[in-house]
Structure formats: C-alpha cells, structure tokens
Amino acid sequence: MSTRTASDLDEPTIESRDELLSVFAKGEKPPERWRIGTEHEKFVYRLSDRRAPSYAEPGGIRDLLMGLTEFGWTPIEEGGNVIALAGQDGTVSLEPAGQLELSGAPLENLHQTCAETGRHLEQVKAIGDRLGLGFLGVGLWPDKRRDELPVMPKGRYKIMLDHMPRVGTMGLDMMLRTCTIQVNLDYQTEADMVKKFRVGLALRPLATALFANSPFLEGKPNGFLSYRSHIWTDTDPGRTGMLPFVFEDGFGYDRYADYALDVPMYFVFRDGRYIDAAGQSFRDFLKGELPALPGEKPRLSDWVDHLSTAFPEVRLKSFLEMRGADGGPWNRICALPAFWVGLLYDQSALDAAWDEVKHWTIEDHNRIRTEVPRLGLAAKGPRGRDFRTLGKTILDIAASGLKARARFNGVGDNEDGYLDPLRRVIAEGQTPADRLLELYNGEWAGDIDRVYGVKSF
C-alpha cells in the first residue's frame, strides 16, 4: 500500500471535476515512454520457530528494514517509526502484519524488472540470514491464525483494521494473512486505457488461476486453490469487485471517477498523521462537508490517496494496476509482468486478446470470478471452454506480444522466456496450489510445517 510522507498543504484545493480527471489524463504517455512497475510481497518468519516477528522485537521487522539500509536504502518514518525505505529500486514497505513489499521502480523492460527483483531478494536474504529470518512466497499464511500475527505501526492500518469488520467478514484476513504480486502499466490515450482495462478485467481470473498459490488456512486445506482471491469476495463490497460498468458503452475517465467518488473513504493525511474518515464521502469532502475535517476541501494529493483505497480487480490511477495474483517465488514474480506486458504493450496482441473475451457477458464475468478461486484451471469460460485451453491461447498471444517488442538482454534473449513458468502450469495442468496439495497429501503426510522447506525464492 502507498506510503505518505507529507501532507502537501501548500497545494490548492480541488475546485472542479476536471481536476479529478486530470490525474488519469496526466498518465497518458506515448509507447516509447511506457514503463513496467512490479510490486510483490512476501511473508517474514523466524527460522527458529516459524513465528511472524513483531515490529519492535530484537531481530524483528524494524531491524530488517534498518539492515537493508546497508544497501543504500533511505528510511521513511511515520510517528518516529521507520515504516518504509526509498531507493533506486523503488520503495520497500510494510503490509499490516509485517509482510515485506517491494514496489519496484518504473522500468523499460522485463530483463530490468527481473534483475531488480533478484537484487531485492538477495538483499533481504542477506539481512534475514543475519537476523534468523526466512521469507515465504505464497498467497496466504498457511498456518497462522489472525491472533498470532503482529500489527505494524502505520496510522492508516489502525483505521482500516477498525473499519474492516464493519463491512465484511474477511477484510482482516486480507490485511493480515495475504501476499500478492501486481504490475503497473501505462496507456497512451483514454481509448487505449479503456481497452486495456477491459482485457485486464476479463482475463484477471485467468491470472488468478495461473498463479493460484494459497490452498491452506490454519494448517489445513481450505477448499480453494486461491483462497487469497476468495477473501476479496467479502472484504468490503463498497470498494472491491469486477466493475461491470467498465464493459458498458461510454466507459472512460469520467465514469471511473464517479465510481471512485462513491467508494467510502478511509482517512485523510494531515500533519504527518492519518485522520479517521472511514465510511465518509469524498463527495462531501469536495463540498467542504467532511465530518472528519469540517470546512476543509481536498487537495489533489487527497484524491490520489483516495484512489489507492479502492480495491477492484483492475485499478486506475495515473496508470493501470493489474491485480489478482497470489504471491510466489522469484520466477513467478517475473512471470506476472511478462503475462500482462505481452498482452497489453503490443497492439496486435491487445487486439487478439480482446477478440477472445469481447463476447463475454457480465454474467460470464461474475460466474468466472466466483469459480476460479476454488477451481483454478478447471473453471469453465463461456461455452464450456476450460481455462487450461484458454490459458494456452492467451499465453501464445502474450508470447507474440513480447516477441514483437524485441527487447533483448545481453545474451540476445527476448522477454518471452519469462512466460516459461506459466507454460509449465498449462502443460501440466497443475497450478502451484495443486502441487502444494499433492505434497501435503503425499510425502508431507499432512505436516503443514513442511511448507517452509519448499523453495520460495
């Protein structure tokens, strides 16, 4: 999640709707300026007892962050606590229960993305070895109860943790027990954004199936392949879901702004602290009638903050966030941006992907979204087409898009090879979650502790 460091009170207040839409319009870039921003989270645990470390304990999360400063990272503080790091490779930040996230820098190609990921993992493992910490790349804590997990000292998390139980049954699970991978991508025009949004929203369940990696809850199989994805179905209906209006005629910046304005607020950031505005209306804020800040109107930074508190399957800010994949090991971190870059950054591939899904109805989208977390590749698309077959077609399209980009590394390889982990999933018909369940029911003999021996990174 975003890390704020200043209140930006020198900004003028928002006085027109055009200022709201300007955030989206300013994201427009010509193709030569398109970049790739990859975000990935991992669980941190103590090697000695598999416990999730707290923030302040010796050898805990704070010490992990401070250890990383040896590699040139600069601490970011909130309330006197170091809660993030800034550097050339982006930002290292904390999720609510101490999950460690790298929000990578905007990069030109996937070779750079994978190198950035590799540097980060080498650094955290070096510090982790010294502190007795390990890192687990899955989508859900496989064995931890909520009450076994710490909470990080970030103001926005206190507000969210208090608010979540009021609006859903699994919001606390989302915050405390999940890890994900996502990629942030650019668009050229409003029309280009619309097409990419539609393709991304339609194929997001396929990405969930390919990356499904969360089959355990509190030490036992949970009945899902991506329980992390299932959690989002009852986190907060006011800010999650498939957004059917994206497929309607006339969708664009204006319609998305209306959606975001109707998303209930969480907070306002002022004077270095988060003010609780949970459940209040940004529309009231625009009128100077926000109960949390009576008489005050929002700045553009408040609007940008608010956009980050909507959690649809694909999210629009000044770029598109392709969400919905379970956490995983190094090669799968590289595979997610390869999947979406291949589909969305080449016009022929984008057109071909849209041809595959443009006939899907809203009922199709909703049914698929419901079925995939449980069934993975066994889910059926429209007309009974299984997701394994669809996956092969879509991966072929993504590969063609990556080859057309012709971005080569130092030994002459293009970006197509980063799709190999997904090709194996399709060829074997077995997601990472299927493999974990096979081990659990076989050689592990039901011993969930063995999951910590699986090579995560």
Side-chain angles (χ1 to χ4, degrees):
M1 295 184 182
S2 303
T3 300
R4 278 290 297 274
T5 58
S7 296
D8 297 323
L9 289 179
D10 55 339
E11 286 184 285
T13 59
I14 297 172
E15 300 297 337
S16 72
R17 187 177 179 86
D18 285 345
E19 292 176 78
L20 300 179
L21 303 184
S22 72
V23 171
F24 311 133
K26 287 177 181 176
E28 296 176 1
K29 299 179 179 68
E32 62 270 19
R33 291 181 53 209
W34 290 353
R35 296 294 183 263
I36 305 162
T38 305
E39 302 181 20
H40 46 94
E41 303 161 357
K42 74 285 297 172
F43 294 112
V44 186
Y45 65 92
R46 287 219 168 274
L47 293 171
S48 59
D49 57 10
R50 314 300 197 218
R51 181 173 55 83
S54 66
Y55 177 80
E57 69 182 69
I61 298 298
R62 178 177 56 196
D63 288 347
L64 173 60
L65 290 177
M66 294 309 297
L68 289 171
T69 62
E70 296 175 15
F71 298 98
W73 294 93
T74 300
I76 298 172
E77 293 189 4
E78 178 188 315
N81 295 308
V82 175
I83 47 84
L85 305 168
Q88 292 186 341
D89 282 340
T91 304
V92 175
S93 60
L94 302 176
E95 291 300 294
Q99 306 98 309
L100 195 70
E101 176 179 11
L102 176 69
S103 298
L107 301 172
E108 295 182 13
N109 61 64
L110 293 168
H111 308 300
Q112 295 170 340
T113 294
C114 227
E116 172 191 77
T117 299
R119 283 192 298 274
H120 170 70
L121 295 179
E122 287 177 2
Q123 291 169 8
V124 299
K125 285 194 290 186
I127 303 303
D129 287 346
R130 184 191 310 165
L131 298 175
L133 300 175
F135 304 91
L136 187 63
V138 291
L140 181 76
W141 266 121
D143 57 351
K144 302 289 188 289
R145 300 188 311 271
R146 289 179 192 168
D147 61 7
E148 295 178 300
L149 297 170
V151 175
M152 298 297 105
K154 295 180 68 170
R156 66 184 294 172
Y157 292 160
K158 172 67 166 62
I159 293 169
M160 292 172 67
L161 287 165
D162 289 345
H163 182 68
M164 285 294 184
R166 305 172 193 152
V167 292
T169 63
M170 292 189 283
L172 297 181
D173 292 313
M174 180 277 289
M175 295 186 68
L176 300 173
R177 298 206 278 191
T178 66
C179 278
T180 189
I181 311 168
Q182 74 175 48
V183 60
N184 305 322
L185 299 176
D186 292 316
Y187 46 86
Q188 184 170 13
T189 62
E190 184 174 17
D192 185 45
M193 180 280 294
V194 169
K195 194 164 192 176
K196 287 174 175 173
F197 204 129
R198 287 172 173 167
V199 168
L201 201 56
L203 291 177
R204 206 283 306 164
L206 176 60
T208 296
L210 290 168
F211 286 82
N213 197 22
S214 49
F216 303 117
L217 180 68
E218 298 181 7
K220 298 179 181 179
N222 54 42
F224 290 81
L225 298 178
S226 179
Y227 194 84
R228 184 208 56 80
S229 182
H230 171 64
I231 282 171
W232 283 103
T233 64
D234 195 13
T235 290
D236 183 345
R239 66 186 76 245
T240 61
M242 284 296 291
L243 308 188
F245 63 83
V246 169
F247 299 100
E248 295 173 359
D249 291 343
F251 171 65
Y253 300 149
D254 196 69
R255 182 65 184 87
Y256 191 86
D258 274 336
Y259 158 75
L261 287 169
D262 289 333
V263 169
M265 294 181 65
Y266 275 147
F267 56 79
V268 182
F269 189 77
R270 290 289 184 274
D271 300 321
R273 65 187 183 93
Y274 288 93
I275 298 170
D276 191 343
Q280 298 176 27
S281 167
F282 204 92
R283 294 184 188 276
D284 289 343
F285 199 7
L286 289 168
K287 294 183 289 185
E289 299 174 1
L290 189 72
L293 281 177
E296 186 169 330
K297 289 187 175 183
R299 279 76 172 170
L300 207 57
S301 57
D302 296 318
W303 175 236
V304 172
D305 276 349
H306 181 62
L307 291 173
S308 74
T309 68
F311 304 126
E313 310 290 319
V314 175
R315 181 163 63 186
L316 175 63
K317 294 196 281 192
S318 57
F319 46 85
L320 281 168
E321 296 183 352
M322 315 309 294
R323 298 158 53 81
D326 286 0
W330 177 86
N331 63 351
R332 300 185 66 76
I333 293 171
C334 302
L336 185 77
F339 179 83
W340 289 118
V341 168
L343 294 175
L344 305 185
Y345 270 14
D346 174 72
Q347 190 62 50
S348 294
L350 179 61
D351 292 342
W354 177 237
D355 285 343
E356 290 292 328
V357 301
K358 64 184 179 183
H359 62 280
W360 294 9
T361 66
I362 296 303
E363 292 73 22
D364 290 329
H365 290 297
N366 288 332
R367 178 185 58 78
I368 291 166
R369 170 65 183 91
T370 300
E371 292 180 357
V372 160
R374 187 183 298 275
L375 300 177
L377 293 176
K380 301 289 185 182
R383 304 169 190 168
R385 188 184 189 190
D386 69 84
F387 259 44
R388 187 178 178 187
T389 302
L390 173 66
K392 184 179 186 311
T393 299
I394 295 301
L395 286 183
D396 287 344
I397 293 171
S400 71
L402 293 175
K403 290 173 182 174
R405 276 168 50 83
R407 305 296 174 88
F408 301 98
N409 62 14
V411 296
D413 297 325
N414 69 21
E415 299 166 310
D416 170 60
Y418 297 115
L419 292 173
D420 285 347
L422 307 184
R423 291 189 177 104
R424 286 194 292 274
V425 169
I426 294 297
E428 298 168 3
Q430 189 178 54
T431 67
D434 290 312
R435 175 59 179 155
L436 288 175
L437 287 168
E438 183 180 80
L439 289 167
Y440 177 87
N441 292 313
E443 65 181 77
W444 294 359
D447 179 8
I448 194 61
D449 201 52
R450 296 280 295 276
V451 75
Y452 291 98
V454 173
K455 184 173 176 58
S456 289
F457 297 111

